[in-house]
Amino acid sequence: MSKYLPKSTIRQIKSESRRVGLDEVASGLRVLTSRIGRGGPGLRVVTSRIGRAGPGLRVLRILIAIHSEPLKWSSGISGSEVLRCSPGFVNVSGWCFSFHKEPTFMLNFSDFCHQQGAHMVVIDSEEKEKVFTKYIENDFFNIYQETRKLYYIDRIAQKEWDIAAEKKKFCENFIKHGVQSLKYKHIPNAKIPLGSLPHQRANLTTPAGFVIKSSSLPGAGMGAWTETFVPKFTILGVYEGLIHTVDKKDDFYSWQVDKQGTDGTYNIDAEDPACSNWLRFVHSPAKYQQENVIPITCEGIIFYMTSRDVEPGEELLVWYGDGYGRFLGVNRIHPEVDLNGSFAFRANVLTFDDNEKLIFDNWTPVTYQNWNPNDEGETAVDPIFGLLLTYHNDGRWRWVTERNYTYYTEEDGLKLPFICEDSPFYLEPEECSVT
């Protein structure tokens, strides 16, 4: 947990201090760090070459600590009185932590800790976890609401819940009133002119106010666009296609539907434009902000409904499901699925070694674990993923896997407060005073 500085190191520091004075030594260090930048690559090169726990880095740390908090070097001091953490870190029961309520992304988190000459917190025991989580409970819970408001987690989750409720209401309404409902506007297919070629059918069913043209998504081909304002919860139509029960390898135009009144499923396959309608041209989005259509399964039929107001000139985009999303390299995972209303801090970044064992960012094996139920690091989408320390409504702290939330968040992912850890050091008490 902590180490004593060797006598030779202390003698070197004291000798240098007597020769030029503590102020000049610290001043020189400040010039050095200012020239290479606290967060610059130069400093990271220096610290990597001398080692995070090496004597060279400890010399730097002790000199800076002496300058920022002058110490008395005298014999007979108890060990607890000479324990020191680097500037910016607090001593919590013998461990040195820095708690940052300014949120950051997972990729920035590691760099920030390393710029401090430290590392991400290694939770290797229940005792250690209890020590700093208790500190967080006492000093940092006031940022909970601020953090959640900043990332709009509650707002986005509420919209998802509202949409799920509206889908249920629509189906109940359709069962009673069909397409003649006064509550929901149904847009019918355009009538197909006589003598049209079969392969033109899907395109020709496009209603007035909509157009089929090149998609905004790279490599997606033709897409469906609106040329007029379409209100929220408008029914764009029924998804049409061939009905079959064969699962094809490249089923990119199919919806799977549960059979009514019996077990099993069938597919509505719109791959053939001669047997489908214009809704086959509605593609899958890459971001939550692009999504403006939702599928609704009701009475064995797939309906497309707008999930928000759609402005003229927008492309219509619907999420086709996780399987198709994985094919596109897109994961539609909402942070609230994992966080579930909890308060979260970034703790570390985990990965797997060659033996598929979990390890921390500094290659330390993960021996102590405190995963949330149903989450043992196996729900991660990427080979490298964040470890979030979360506080839940039952008053317990648990580990949660940070997955890829970029469908809902900024490109760099979820922003959260975080913790860095440094190694404390002791000054040997038997040395004489320095004046």
Side-chain angles (χ1 to χ4, degrees), residues 3 31 77 80 166 187 210 233 242 295 330 336 361 393 426:
K3 299 178 181 179
V31 171
I77 308 177
S80 61
E166 195 66 35
I187 299 178
F210 300 87
F233 298 149
L242 291 172
V330 178
E336 198 62 16
D361 178 64
N393 294 331
Y426 287 91

Side-chain angles (χ1 to χ4, degrees), residues 151-400:
Y151 312 119
Y152 306 105
I153 291 176
D154 288 330
R155 179 178 62 80
I156 296 175
Q158 186 62 52
K159 181 179 178 181
E160 295 283 311
W161 297 327
D162 290 345
I163 288 175
E166 195 66 35
K167 291 167 74 171
K168 182 178 180 181
K169 291 178 184 177
F170 165 77
C171 190
E172 293 172 351
N173 184 275
F174 177 77
I175 293 172
K176 290 181 180 179
H177 306 289
V179 297
Q180 304 303 321
S181 169
L182 298 178
K183 182 176 181 181
Y184 297 96
K185 179 182 178 181
H186 289 254
I187 299 178
N189 287 342
K191 293 183 179 180
I192 304 173
L194 292 175
S196 300
L197 296 176
H199 71 273
Q200 295 178 328
R201 182 186 190 279
N203 199 335
L204 292 173
T205 62
T206 307
F210 300 87
V211 64
I212 305 302
K213 61 180 183 178
S214 295
S215 173
S216 62
L217 303 174
M222 305 301 286
W225 299 73
T226 177
E227 296 180 317
T228 185
F229 175 78
V230 184
K232 181 179 180 180
F233 298 149
T234 297
I235 306 303
L236 299 173
V238 174
Y239 191 83
E240 299 177 0
L242 291 172
I243 307 297
H244 64 77
T245 58
V246 179
D247 290 329
K248 297 186 297 183
K249 182 178 180 181
D250 299 329
D251 235 356
F252 299 145
Y253 289 89
S254 292
W255 284 104
Q256 191 173 78
V257 182
D258 292 331
K259 292 182 178 180
Q260 298 295 298
T262 183
D263 294 333
T265 62
Y266 60 88
N267 298 314
I268 302 176
D269 186 355
E271 182 177 10
D272 186 353
C275 302
S276 55
N277 67 346
W278 71 287
L279 294 179
R280 75 183 296 278
F281 295 105
V282 179
H283 291 296
S284 184
K287 296 291 180 184
Y288 171 76
Q289 292 78 6
Q290 299 173 329
E291 187 177 314
N292 50 25
V293 177
I294 53 173
I296 302 177
T297 304
C298 182
E299 296 293 289
I301 303 171
I302 297 290
F303 294 89
Y304 276 13
M305 172 193 279
T306 54
S307 57
R308 59 173 172 82
D309 291 343
V310 184
E311 301 296 331
E314 280 195 68
E315 182 175 6
L316 298 174
L317 297 167
V318 63
W319 180 253
Y320 274 98
D322 294 342
Y324 188 65
R326 283 191 291 271
F327 170 77
L328 298 176
V330 178
N331 300 299
R332 191 182 188 272
I333 305 171
H334 193 280
E336 198 62 16
V337 172
D338 294 332
L339 298 181
N340 194 25
S342 64
F343 171 77
F345 259 94
R346 294 195 177 284
N348 211 299
V349 175
L350 303 184
T351 187
F352 296 91
D353 64 14
D354 293 338
N355 298 317
E356 297 300 314
K357 299 295 184 181
L358 277 176
I359 56 175
F360 290 105
D361 178 64
N362 64 353
W363 296 92
T364 302
V366 177
T367 52
Y368 165 74
Q369 300 185 33
N370 182 24
W371 293 106
N372 200 34
N374 303 319
D375 184 355
E376 298 181 357
E378 298 177 356
T379 60
V381 173
D382 299 318
I384 299 175
F385 57 94
L387 169 62
L388 304 181
L389 189 61
T390 61
Y391 181 84
H392 295 260
N393 294 331
D394 60 3
R396 295 185 60 186
W397 288 86
R398 298 187 184 93
W399 294 9
V400 168

Side-chain angles (χ1 to χ4, degrees), residues 89-111:
F89 290 79
V90 293
N91 179 1
V92 184
S93 299
W95 285 285
C96 293
F97 302 112
S98 61
F99 300 88
H100 304 270
K101 60 182 181 180
E102 303 83 4
T104 191
F105 304 113
M106 184 181 77
L107 297 179
N108 295 348
F109 164 43
S110 174
D111 286 344

